[in-house]
Amino acid sequence: MLPEPPYSHGTQPRIGVLLVNLGTPDAPTPAAVRRYLNEFLSAPRVVKIPRIVWWPILNLFVLNTRPRASAQRYAQVWMSEGSPLRVHTERQTTLLRGYLGERAKHLPLTVDYAMRYGTPSIAERLHAMKAQHCDRVLLVPLYPQYSASTTATAFDAAFSCLAAMRNQPALRTVRSFHDQAGYVAALAQSVREHWTRIHRPDVLVISFHGVPRRTLDKGDPYHCECQKTGRLLADALGL
């Protein structure tokens, strides 16, 4: 067990809200991309090939060929503040911190973000929240639709971190929000704003990240939740 942070009796406990995104390399360089891909593609829920088969493929081929090309693509979208994913996640966190600060002034809240792969890690942020005396943490993976290869991996990382703690904070998780009214309304508003800038087309194509068909056959609900999001968005837009 890891040593517990200093504590004084009478210290007011806090509530932690931790947003979790997928992750990003620290820089648009082959070395940084290689570190990121190694962590990402080593996750057993992401690549379900037996490790004895996948390890040589990953280390002898993928990590020796893909980082350079991927780094060039990252460099094309890299912002002056850093990776777009990190920049926008930081902005979301700041906005949520302000929103909750205005509407829940009586609650001692700590709002932060973590990345499932790369930095800052989920373990790093959970330990930081514990050091700030958070005895309850809400974990919010920023994946609207649940999938074992995304949401579940974030849960795995959090549970693994807590497994090394003697005095664990209470942990609550948001599993998905694919059919939440606020999320669907935000999607619809985004589409309407785009239509006002250009014109309303004849067809709206709704695209989701792909996963292998066998994940659906094995019981992963991602496909079904994407279908429901699409249906609710179409209803909200009157299509």
Side-chain angles (χ1 to χ4, degrees), residues 90 110 118 232:
E90 288 175 345
T110 295
L232 292 174

Side-chain angles (χ1 to χ4, degrees), residues 195 199-205 239:
W195 283 349
H199 62 86
R200 180 164 177 154
D202 297 326
V203 177
L204 174 66
V205 177
L239 301 179

Side-chain angles (χ1 to χ4, degrees), residues 223-234:
H223 172 87
C224 301
E225 293 188 0
C226 288
Q227 292 280 353
K228 188 173 185 181
T229 297
R231 175 173 58 80
L232 292 174
L233 177 58

Side-chain angles (χ1 to χ4, degrees), residues 61-75:
F61 298 100
V62 177
L63 295 180
N64 284 325
T65 58
R66 190 169 174 182
R68 183 171 299 278
S70 294
Q72 293 173 351
R73 288 191 287 271
Y74 273 113

Side-chain angles (χ1 to χ4, degrees), residues 8-150:
S8 298
H9 289 287
T11 300
Q12 183 182 30
R14 300 183 64 82
I15 301 171
V17 178
L18 186 62
L19 306 181
V20 179
N21 220 326
L22 178 68
T24 172
D26 292 324
T29 63
V33 172
R34 190 181 195 280
R35 287 193 301 272
Y36 170 73
L37 288 179
N38 184 40
E39 183 182 5
F40 176 44
L41 297 177
S42 295
R45 288 189 188 266
V46 174
V47 179
K48 300 184 184 301
I49 301 172
R51 188 163 183 81
I52 193 172
V53 176
W54 176 239
W55 191 93
I57 296 174
L58 174 63
N59 286 274
L60 298 179
F61 298 100
V62 177
L63 295 180
N64 284 325
T65 58
R66 190 169 174 182
R68 183 171 299 278
S70 294
Q72 293 173 351
R73 288 191 287 271
Y74 273 113
Q76 293 174 0
V77 299
W78 211 259
M79 303 169 68
S80 58
E81 307 100 308
S83 162
L85 185 68
R86 177 175 287 122
V87 170
H88 291 301
T89 303
E90 288 175 345
R91 291 174 181 173
Q92 284 181 301
T93 304
T94 300
L95 290 170
L96 180 60
R97 188 180 295 123
Y99 180 89
L100 294 178
E102 285 294 320
R103 288 158 180 79
K105 296 179 180 178
H106 64 290
L107 292 177
L109 291 172
T110 295
V111 182
D112 214 331
Y113 78 95
M115 297 296 182
R116 174 58 184 90
Y117 307 103
T119 58
S121 70
I122 293 174
E124 176 186 337
R125 289 302 199 224
L126 285 176
H127 284 296
M129 286 185 166
K130 185 171 179 180
Q132 296 176 56
H133 309 294
C134 292
D135 66 349
R136 287 175 288 171
V137 176
L138 175 65
L139 190 73
V140 188
L142 296 178
Y143 312 113
Q145 298 81 21
Y146 175 95
S147 175
S149 59
T150 53

Side-chain angles (χ1 to χ4, degrees), residues 188-198:
Q189 182 63 23
S190 176
V191 173
R192 292 191 191 98
E193 290 176 356
H194 182 68
W195 283 349
T196 59
R197 289 195 300 269
I198 50 168

